[in-house]
Amino acid sequence: MTRVYLDNAATTPLDLEVFEHMKPWLLDFVGNPSSTHSHGRHIRNAIEQARRSIAQQLNASPLEIFLPAAVPKLTIRSFSGR
């Protein structure tokens, strides 16, 4: 029997390929991007790189790209290639 998940408003299953790209950011790189310490700055730089990459792909300005608090770690790897 094939399982069909329909509650994507609550959570969305993570594609294995995305997980593999995200693994370093989910397991190794921990930091508050609003902090001034090196861990926070590293995360902030990665988020800003992802924002620029997304903007470029959408032919938009990085200032037009808003990343909700729960999303940055999931998008960093996908769009920045890190």
Side-chain angles (χ1 to χ4, degrees):
M1 183 164 146
T2 302
R3 185 177 108 172
V4 177
Y5 185 79
L6 299 174
D7 192 12
N8 287 328
T11 185
T12 302
L14 186 58
D15 183 84
L16 185 57
E17 184 178 349
V18 173
F19 174 73
E20 288 302 321
H21 285 288
M22 288 298 305
K23 197 183 307 186
W25 296 100
L26 296 169
L27 302 176
D28 301 329
F29 300 108
V30 178
N32 179 346
S34 298
S35 297
T36 58
H37 53 69
S38 63
H39 297 291
R41 288 192 312 270
H42 180 71
I43 298 297
R44 168 56 68 188
N45 289 337
I47 290 170
E48 292 308 318
Q49 173 58 39
R51 187 184 316 276
R52 287 189 297 274
S53 178
I54 293 167
Q56 183 178 19
Q57 292 176 46
L58 298 175
N59 196 27
S61 164
L63 298 174
E64 297 175 289
I65 306 301
F66 295 94
L67 301 173
V71 175
K73 278 190 155 186
L74 298 177
T75 59
I76 290 168
R77 183 69 178 173
S78 300
F79 289 101
S80 71
R82 290 184 177 179

